[in-house]
Amino acid sequence: MNWLTDFPTLGREDLRDFRMAIDRGFKDFTRSYGDNIESFFDPLLYFLIWLEKLLLATPWPVFILAVCGLAWIASRSKSIVIGSAVSFFLIGFLGMWEDTMSTVSIIMVCTIVCIGLGLPIGILMSRSDRTQAVITPVLDVMQTIPSFVYLIPVVMLLGIGKVPGLISVVIYAIPPMIRLTNLGIRLVDREVLEAADAFGASAWQKLIGVQIPLALPNIFAGVNQTIMMSLAMVVIASMIGVTGLGQPVLRAISNQYLAMGLLNGLALVALAIIFDRISQSYGKRLQSHRTGGHDE
Amino acid sequence: MSNAKIEIRHLYKIFGPDPVAMMEKVREGVGKDQMIEEFGHVLGLSDINLKIPEKGIQVVMGLSGSGKSTLIRHINRLIEPTTGDVLVEGENVLEMNEQALRNFRRHRASMVFQKFALLPHRTVMENTVYGLEIQGLAEKEARKQAAHWIDRVGLSGYEENYPQQLSGGMQQRVGLARALATDADILLMDEAFSALDPLIRADMQNILLDLQQELHKTIVFITHDLEEALRIGDQIAILRDGEVVQQGTPQQIILKPKDDYIADFTKDINRGRVIQLKTIMSPVNDLLGPELSGEMMVEDAAQVVTESPSSQARVIDDSGRVIGAVNITNLIRAMARPDIETRLEEL
């Protein structure tokens, strides 16, 4: 009764051939299309490099002031503004300014790409249950597959560098953006939508005038999650050549530099908290009309 | 008021997976209960025929589940019927293509909702211009028109408030202003005042009646409240289980309920506020007394007649001609007794 105890497996040889066939296929694909794909991403690379140079060329007081200004506009909270200023000052004081600027620039580009792709995909997903049924498992895979696994094809295709790093960060960070856009639009009050219909709104007028504005708090939660996840992924992406705070962390791991690892890690935490508070309080302020005082 | 602005013909709506197949069953005479039990389909509306007069207020009254909200949504086709016709000025709404339907909704029929359905992220002003914005009107002109309607519903000074900052009654005024602003001549009101408390509701009814005196829109008003129906309706259709049980003027409904169901409904109604003098007056004799309009309500007349020394009054028509007479006994009987058969034949 061998078939009960021995699991039926593909033969060792067959399995090897199977794996090699996939690898060969992907390598061929890379050889024939790798260059084209790389040049396709060139504009993204130029934008990333330009942004990084811009941030590095900006005098530090100007940068800190700009961050404080942004924090104030978004949150109207003194403690967030002061916290941001102090954190950035400490980061610079402890010699991590340049790495931090690289990280900030890649996070910004990632966030822009994630919003640019995630918003339309989320909208498409909200419009039909069938699209949702197709996209949801893809998002599940993107969120659960170990990030190292998809680094492999990305590196095979594009080599080591900023763009493959950026792509892997986007793959990791985009699902919440898509999911929450979809959710937000689906949660919009049916009665309000019916009213829009009754006044003769077209699909586009409903989307722009009703669905997106009412989904905005959820969409913003998605942006917030996307930023948080790209910060988490930046360290892993540094393995394939993304500069920034991730690289010293990687060096610290291989050389057992406790302090170095800790400081850079904490700088990432500080960035995360600042981005989180700013984007969250902005999301909350968007909803201020919901809690307006009831004066009868 | 004689022309039918909106005409609904043989309208059926069946909810369920295969309504078209079920239509056959309905034609074979399958009733609502059998439809649910045997076939799992809900017969929402069954053979509705309704002529809605131009420039009048048509009330559709029914309890919850009677299909009244479904019916009103067929007029601007928010719900597609299973079969039937909805004609507006002779044009079949159900045959309009997408663009024509959008234009119909933008320019010819606007709607007020039970739960207001305002846009929570927009101010009173921004909500009121919504329909005009959809029409594609320039912002400045739209705001100017909207400001006029905000003023007409008594919300001046609240333009920059958000709906959540307003009371229910005020929110529904915004809903009304939004609907009036598009200048559509059909106004669909789906239980528009049902969510408001009684005092505010009476207030809103007055606003609506005042506006109607001037605007002469064709209003379709849905309600579950008979008092409200009698108060504002020129015509009333009573809906029950998806069928029209009775149609008529408020007086006809009150004085000649078609069946026990309606009689039961109307028994607690204050007749004095519905019945007009011309319905109950007796033939002219040489009486003296104050002259009262034939359209005056019995209750109001009772007050005048009680104070007049002769305890009677003459009834006149619009041109001032004496057409009949009432005395205090007539009036009291009209308020007390449901069966005033003689005069009714003429209605």
Side-chain angles (χ1 to χ4, degrees):
Chain A
M1 297 293 275
N2 273 344
W3 62 274
L4 264 185
T5 47
D6 294 338
F7 201 91
T9 50
L10 207 60
R12 193 179 271 258
E13 302 252 311
D14 292 338
L15 203 58
R16 200 194 60 206
D17 288 346
F18 171 66
R19 285 198 297 247
M20 277 174 64
I22 292 180
D23 287 357
R24 210 176 301 122
F26 192 74
K27 264 181 199 149
D28 289 344
F29 173 77
T30 306
R31 274 198 207 102
S32 32
Y33 298 105
D35 288 342
N36 289 340
I37 294 174
E38 221 175 315
S39 53
F40 174 76
F41 287 112
D42 273 350
L44 203 61
L45 181 65
Y46 296 142
F47 178 57
L48 179 59
I49 291 171
W50 173 80
L51 190 68
E52 199 174 336
K53 278 190 181 149
L54 177 77
L55 288 183
L56 281 172
T58 311
W60 65 269
V62 175
F63 180 83
I64 293 185
L65 268 178
V67 168
C68 290
L70 198 70
W72 177 251
I73 291 168
S75 69
R76 298 286 147 88
S77 149
K78 272 183 204 156
S79 52
I80 291 178
V81 173
I82 294 170
S84 311
V86 170
S87 311
F88 272 106
F89 183 79
L90 277 178
I91 284 170
F93 192 66
L94 293 169
M96 296 178 288
W97 187 262
E98 287 183 15
D99 283 339
T100 304
M101 288 306 110
S102 307
T103 299
V104 170
S105 62
I106 195 165
I107 299 293
M108 281 167 80
V109 175
C110 277
T111 309
I112 292 169
V113 173
C114 285
I115 295 174
L117 288 177
L119 196 66
I121 296 176
I123 291 169
L124 278 181
M125 208 170 150
S126 70
R127 300 189 84 80
S128 102
D129 286 340
R130 202 173 293 171
T131 323
Q132 179 174 255
V134 173
I135 295 180
T136 306
V138 177
L139 295 180
D140 292 338
V141 171
M142 283 162 78
Q143 279 186 298
T144 46
I145 202 165
S147 26
F148 299 102
V149 175
Y150 58 75
L151 287 185
I152 303 166
V154 171
V155 171
M156 280 169 79
L157 198 59
L158 297 168
I160 279 179
K162 284 183 199 298
V163 168
L166 192 77
I167 292 172
S168 55
V169 175
V170 168
I171 294 176
Y172 185 71
I174 203 171
M177 183 67 209
I178 298 175
R179 274 186 210 274
L180 284 158
T181 302
N182 173 39
L183 179 75
I185 291 181
R186 279 172 185 268
L187 286 180
V188 168
D189 192 354
R190 291 179 59 123
E191 286 170 23
V192 177
L193 277 181
E194 191 184 37
D197 270 331
F199 280 93
S202 62
W204 177 251
Q205 284 172 323
K206 269 194 291 184
L207 183 68
I208 296 298
V210 181
Q211 291 174 306
I212 290 184
L214 291 182
L216 222 46
N218 271 313
I219 293 175
F220 248 85
V223 173
N224 171 280
Q225 286 303 300
T226 290
I227 297 175
M228 294 301 103
M229 289 179 73
S230 25
L231 270 166
M233 187 63 191
V234 153
V235 177
I236 293 169
S238 66
M239 288 171 64
I240 57 168
V242 170
T243 52
L245 290 167
Q247 286 202 329
V249 173
L250 212 60
R251 236 178 302 138
I253 295 172
S254 42
N255 297 320
Q256 300 180 1
Y257 295 149
L258 175 63
M260 185 172 162
L262 214 57
L263 281 179
N264 284 281
L266 285 175
L268 273 170
V269 172
L271 280 187
I273 293 177
I274 293 167
F275 286 149
D276 177 66
R277 295 303 182 271
I278 292 178
S279 58
Q280 248 188 41
S281 51
Y282 184 65
K284 272 195 199 121
R285 283 205 326 123
L286 281 178
Q287 302 188 65
S288 57
H289 59 80
R290 281 165 202 261
T291 51
H294 199 285
D295 51 345
E296 259 182 274
Chain B
M1 280 223 344
S2 52
N3 310 11
K5 173 91 171 175
I6 305 170
E7 192 177 345
I8 296 171
R9 285 194 208 145
H10 304 298
L11 189 77
Y12 285 87
K13 176 68 187 176
I14 300 170
F15 295 101
D18 191 3
V20 179
M22 286 303 115
M23 259 322 287
E24 290 302 313
K25 305 280 177 203
V26 172
R27 291 207 181 91
E28 285 161 20
V30 172
K32 183 168 176 140
D33 294 335
Q34 200 187 350
M35 182 74 87
I36 296 177
E37 279 163 28
E38 273 182 44
F39 305 105
H41 282 63
V42 177
L43 183 53
L45 291 175
S46 173
D47 198 16
I48 305 286
N49 290 286
L50 211 55
K51 280 187 181 171
I52 295 172
E54 187 165 19
K55 296 178 179 173
I57 301 184
Q58 167 77 53
V59 172
V60 177
M61 205 218 94
L63 300 181
S64 56
S66 61
K68 55 192 190 301
S69 288
T70 310
L71 177 58
I72 200 175
R73 280 168 174 70
H74 279 88
I75 297 174
N76 60 357
R77 215 169 128 196
L78 287 174
I79 296 179
E80 294 282 339
T82 308
T83 73
D85 297 317
V86 176
L87 304 173
V88 175
E89 289 169 351
E91 195 183 350
N92 197 339
V93 177
L94 305 174
E95 281 166 7
M96 290 178 179
N97 64 24
E98 215 174 301
Q99 187 57 43
L101 179 62
R102 269 209 295 274
N103 280 331
F104 174 76
R105 289 172 177 170
R106 284 177 190 175
H107 298 282
R108 294 174 61 197
S110 57
M111 194 161 180
V112 182
F113 296 86
Q114 180 175 12
K115 289 176 190 157
F116 323 137
L118 300 174
L119 300 164
H121 63 293
R122 288 172 158 231
T123 61
V124 169
M125 172 55 88
E126 288 164 347
N127 265 289
T128 311
V129 298
Y130 185 70
L132 299 172
E133 198 179 292
I134 297 289
Q135 288 178 359
L137 201 66
E139 193 189 330
K140 206 174 161 193
E141 179 59 24
R143 281 185 169 250
K144 204 178 109 195
Q145 290 186 20
H148 167 73
W149 291 110
I150 291 173
D151 184 46
R152 287 304 305 269
V153 299
L155 279 181
S156 291
Y158 289 95
E159 287 88 348
E160 299 313 314
N161 284 76
Y162 285 98
Q164 248 69 7
Q165 297 169 311
L166 304 177
S167 67
M170 289 163 97
Q171 289 189 41
Q172 194 56 302
R173 288 175 195 222
V174 181
L176 191 57
R178 175 175 69 174
L180 291 171
T182 67
D183 211 23
D185 52 6
I186 297 173
L187 187 58
L188 306 173
M189 304 187 73
D190 179 24
E191 297 222 36
F193 306 151
S194 301
L196 307 173
D197 53 55
L199 279 177
I200 309 280
R201 193 186 307 173
D203 217 30
M204 292 297 290
Q205 289 164 359
N206 288 334
I207 291 177
L208 182 68
L209 291 172
D210 283 352
L211 285 166
Q212 174 65 358
Q213 291 247 305
E214 209 180 295
L215 300 173
H216 303 298
K217 298 205 180 251
T218 303
I219 300 178
V220 183
F221 192 102
I222 303 287
T223 182
H224 61 251
D225 178 358
L226 187 61
E227 296 260 9
E228 185 169 66
L230 296 169
R231 178 140 189 255
I232 67 174
D234 295 320
Q235 287 284 324
I236 298 177
I238 296 183
L239 213 59
R240 180 193 179 193
D241 289 342
E243 286 175 56
V244 176
V245 200
Q246 186 173 4
Q247 298 185 52
T249 63
Q251 293 199 87
Q252 287 169 324
I253 302 269
I254 286 291
L255 297 174
K256 260 194 139 177
K258 203 168 188 180
D259 59 15
D260 293 347
Y261 176 75
I262 296 174
D264 197 39
F265 246 132
T266 53
K267 70 174 194 288
D268 297 327
I269 290 299
N270 181 347
R271 292 158 186 281
R273 287 201 192 138
V274 179
I275 302 170
Q276 297 174 344
L277 292 186
K278 63 181 178 192
T279 314
I280 58 145
M281 65 193 178
S282 43
V284 199
N285 47 33
D286 50 354
L287 288 171
L288 288 176
E291 291 185 343
L292 302 175
S293 156
E295 273 152 32
M296 193 176 207
M297 298 300 168
V298 167
E299 190 180 72
D300 301 326
Q303 201 152 14
V304 182
V305 173
T306 329
E307 282 162 12
S308 105
S310 59
S311 293
Q312 53 208 5
R314 287 177 293 170
V315 181
I316 54 169
D317 64 8
D318 290 342
S319 55
R321 202 163 51 88
V322 177
I323 51 172
V326 287
N327 59 30
I328 195 74
T329 322
N330 296 146
L331 295 173
I332 290 173
R333 191 185 298 145
M335 286 193 259
R337 294 241 315 266
D339 46 10
I340 310 165
E341 298 294 337
T342 42
R343 279 279 158 191
L344 276 174
E345 304 309 324
E346 290 164 28
L347 272 178

